[in-house]
Amino acid sequence: MSGKAPSSNSLRERCAAIGQEEAVLREGGGKAGQDRQHKLGRLLARERISLLLDKNAPFFELGLWAAYKMYPQWGNIAAAGAVAGIGNVQGIPCMIVANDATVKAGAFFPQTAKKIIRAQRVAFECALPLLYLVDSAGVFLPMQDEIFPDEDDFGRIFRNNSVISAAGLPQFAAIMGNCVAGGAYLPVLCDKILMTEGSGLYLAGPSLVKAAIGQVVDQEELGGAKMHAEISGTVDFYEKDDKACLKRLRSLVGLLPEAEAAKHAPKNGSHPTAAKEPDAVYDIISLDGHKPYDTRDLLASIIDADSLDEYKADYGKTLVTAYARIGGRPVGIVASQRLQVRTKKEGIQMGGVIYADSADKAARFIFDCNQTGLPIIFFQDVTGFMVGRDAEQSGIIRSGAKLVNAVSNSTVPKITVVVGGSFGAGNYALCGKAYDPNFILAWPHSRYAVMGAAQASDTVFSILARAQDRGDKKSTPEELEELRATVKKSYEEQTDIRYGAARGWVDAIIQPHETRDVLVRLLQYVSRPTPKARFHTGVVQV
């Protein structure tokens, strides 16, 4: 996979280039890994998902960019060696997590664990059954210290299995390859376990058993499907191959009460349409983010036509707050306004900046959405809060804290879409990842950092230059200029949305013209009743 940034002079070209990169990521470990998997008589992770899903069912993928360029010393760890996403099985939206054995035998890297934990959280919050397609060699041992112990590491997955089960959400595990060491706990903490012939489920493989206790035993006798089906009793369903296993899994999901209800649910009629065509967004927003635009024009291609009721339209104008509908579902919207605006009290205000009046308005709007139970969609294209004497005297810190408090304590579903910049405390105030959005999405040209590249790189350069000059040898102008260029290049790489997506700061990079369709689907998921956890152990294998 090319490490070069897409060479683009337009937003459309950047989006197309990102789409091409995503197609490469979906190939996993590439042809050699795919051939190896097929030679073992096993399907690829995405082939398994395709057979599991209902015919023509869409699949909303989470974390495709996970681990992107993060572990260069170990090669290309495409999608962190796992596929995760939501799609319908027997009419029920399910979270599907599949190890990709073409990528380092499906071994867990730090981002693999974080990706699966995120999938479990989304499933829990949206009350989605979880289907695990297991084919993994376990922890990637050279990095075990970064995978094994912490609260967002490997062990958290099994803790989540237990909590999810206790909350009453169905979990099914289909073992279609290796399931080794600590990873063996995942299927055994699920409600039902399926296992294919030739697969292995054990806490320690033959070589480790020999090293630990001197016992010589083959894989089948130690942890094969037949042994677990006939002797240990661990496996509920013994299947001949992947296709038979996936057919059985579909059948078991079909026994859930929700599947029966899905059969008799009325088919959706025609949805309302937006006022503008989806492609209109490409004429509104520029690739570099410098072009001013009215966010109402952007919303016109996303929300239902004639559904916008703007709240306090003439006050706090650098944020647009409004009630609207998307696919017929009522929502609240908090969106950055990128036009320069004029106010009676403050005079000119810059677009993309949050002022005290805007923060006050948005906080009050969020209170109201929680009062009436409306999901909130945040559209981020924000450079941060206003600074300077006038801003401080207006109480910007107090107003900003009020907005952050409102977002932090909001209990209604929240979806965040980064359509441009997401900088500094503006990221926090408009529901960045730290504020628990149910889903957080970004457009391909988005930027994500504590401040813009120009300001940040100058600040970092000044710090490094002073540190360098404290030594015996003073820096030459040429060396300082080289340092400045290096710092700026590094910072620009870190603000690239792919850098953030690799680390799980956004769930998915989406094409701008698909925003409405994606939101229609996600609103269906976040509107499902949240499971109520209580103290009991759920399903335990005995």
Side-chain angles (χ1 to χ4, degrees):
M1 181 171 57
S2 170
K4 293 181 180 177
S7 58
S8 317
N9 54 24
S10 78
L11 181 56
R12 287 179 191 271
E13 289 174 2
R14 168 62 62 89
C15 293
I18 289 287
Q20 289 169 3
E21 276 197 271
E22 290 191 335
V24 174
L25 289 174
R26 290 190 179 97
E27 293 175 6
K31 189 173 185 307
Q34 293 171 3
D35 289 347
R36 183 174 64 248
Q37 186 77 346
H38 285 152
K39 195 171 182 180
L40 291 169
R42 298 171 184 166
L43 297 173
L44 309 179
R46 293 180 188 278
E47 291 173 339
R48 289 168 173 167
I49 291 171
S50 180
L51 283 176
L52 182 57
L53 292 172
D54 295 344
K55 189 175 181 182
N56 299 323
F59 182 65
F60 178 71
E61 187 165 354
L62 299 166
L64 175 60
W65 291 86
Y68 174 73
K69 296 170 75 171
M70 283 186 69
Y71 311 115
Q73 69 273 42
W74 304 113
N76 171 33
I77 314 303
V83 183
I86 306 169
N88 278 20
V89 179
Q90 301 285 30
I92 304 174
C94 296
M95 176 64 75
I96 302 168
V97 177
N99 300 114
D100 185 350
T102 71
V103 180
K104 301 292 182 184
F108 276 69
F109 284 73
Q111 285 305 128
T112 317
K114 289 172 176 58
K115 176 174 177 172
I116 292 175
I117 290 166
R118 176 63 178 164
Q120 289 178 318
R121 176 170 187 158
V122 168
F124 184 82
E125 291 178 347
C126 297
L128 302 171
L130 270 147
L131 313 179
Y132 303 95
L133 309 183
V134 185
D135 192 353
S136 169
V139 164
F140 185 67
L141 288 176
M143 298 187 74
Q144 64 83 26
D145 61 320
E146 297 180 50
I147 304 167
F148 164 67
D150 213 338
E151 64 184 1
D152 59 350
D153 287 339
F154 197 54
R156 187 73 171 191
I157 294 171
F158 318 128
R159 175 266 183 197
N160 287 350
N161 286 137
S162 305
V163 171
I164 289 167
S165 183
L169 284 180
Q171 294 180 98
F172 301 79
I175 303 166
M176 294 183 280
N178 290 314
C179 186
V180 181
Y185 288 116
L186 184 147
V188 183
L189 287 165
C190 290
D191 303 5
K192 297 178 180 65
I193 308 174
L194 302 82
M195 190 170 178
T196 58
E197 188 177 305
S199 295
L201 170 67
Y202 33 71
L203 289 177
S207 57
L208 185 55
V209 167
K210 183 179 179 182
I213 63 173
Q215 187 179 75
V216 177
V217 60
D218 66 36
Q219 180 173 311
E220 178 56 40
E221 185 184 3
L222 183 65
K226 191 174 283 290
M227 187 282 288
H228 280 305
E230 297 178 357
I231 300 173
S232 80
T234 302
V235 167
D236 303 317
F237 298 91
Y238 171 82
E239 304 297 338
K240 180 171 177 52
D241 55 26
D242 283 13
K243 289 184 178 179
C245 186
L246 293 164
K247 183 179 178 182
R248 176 84 69 182
L249 182 52
R250 280 186 52 82
S251 177
L252 294 172
V253 173
L255 296 174
L256 296 175
E258 196 177 339
E260 194 61 30
K263 285 182 193 172
H264 304 293
K267 301 300 178 190
N268 290 332
S270 59
H271 276 305
T273 57
K276 290 187 176 181
E277 289 297 313
D279 275 13
V281 297
Y282 294 106
D283 300 321
I284 296 167
I285 293 185
S286 63
L287 176 63
D288 62 13
H290 294 158
K291 177 182 172 184
Y293 64 89
D294 190 333
T295 197
R296 299 174 192 88
D297 293 335
L298 170 66
L299 294 176
S301 64
I302 295 172
I303 65 173
D304 298 352
D306 301 319
S307 73
L308 189 76
D309 293 309
E310 191 170 346
Y311 175 88
K312 295 187 189 291
D314 299 316
Y315 182 77
K317 295 180 181 180
T318 63
L319 287 178
V320 171
T321 52
Y323 306 105
R325 290 179 181 270
I326 298 179
R329 289 181 182 268
V331 297
I333 288 173
V334 180
S336 304
Q337 174 59 282
R338 287 309 303 263
L339 285 181
Q340 187 180 87
V341 300
R342 179 180 291 277
T343 68
K344 289 285 178 69
K345 185 178 176 183
E346 304 276 344
I348 297 293
Q349 291 183 339
M350 293 184 288
V353 178
I354 301 175
Y355 290 77
D357 54 355
S358 303
D360 284 339
K361 175 176 81 168
R364 176 63 182 81
F365 180 75
I366 289 167
F367 296 154
D368 191 69
C369 288
N370 277 269
Q371 186 77 359
T372 50
L374 282 182
I376 305 172
I377 315 291
F378 294 85
F379 290 93
Q380 292 192 5
D381 193 354
V382 59
T383 54
F385 282 83
M386 190 58 189
V387 296
R389 182 192 59 207
D390 293 344
E392 299 294 354
Q393 291 180 0
S394 74
I396 187 69
I397 297 175
R398 183 181 66 248
S399 298
K402 188 190 307 179
L403 177 52
V404 167
N405 191 309
V407 173
S408 302
N409 287 292
S410 179
T411 58
V412 296
K414 302 184 293 289
I415 300 173
T416 300
V417 187
V418 184
V419 300
S422 179
F423 294 111
N427 168 277
Y428 304 157
L430 300 185
C431 201
K433 181 68 186 295
Y435 292 81
D436 296 335
N438 296 78
F439 294 95
I440 180 165
L441 317 168
W443 287 4
H445 73 303
S446 302
R447 297 278 168 182
Y448 211 117
V450 71
M451 63 178 77
Q455 307 95 305
S457 57
D458 282 350
T459 304
V460 174
F461 165 74
S462 299
I463 295 168
L464 292 177
R466 282 199 300 271
Q468 198 163 296
D469 277 349
R470 286 193 197 107
D472 296 333
K473 182 187 172 190
K474 299 298 180 188
S475 302
T476 65
E478 292 77 15
E479 287 171 336
L480 287 174
E481 197 52 45
E482 186 180 342
L483 176 62
R484 183 189 293 275
T486 301
V487 167
K488 187 173 183 185
K489 181 173 183 290
S490 171
Y491 199 86
E492 285 176 344
E493 285 176 358
Q494 290 177 22
T495 63
D496 188 314
I497 197 60
R498 293 169 296 176
Y499 185 95
R503 288 153 181 79
W505 302 344
V506 297
D507 292 317
I509 299 175
I510 63 169
Q511 296 290 316
H513 63 276
E514 295 175 351
T515 304
R516 174 179 166 84
D517 290 341
V518 169
L519 289 176
V520 167
R521 206 179 324 156
L522 298 188
L523 282 166
Q524 294 173 2
Y525 303 149
V526 300
S527 300
R528 294 165 63 84
T530 305
K532 302 292 185 238
R534 62 194 189 281
F535 181 71
H536 71 108
T537 59
V539 174
V540 177
Q541 299 291 336
V542 294

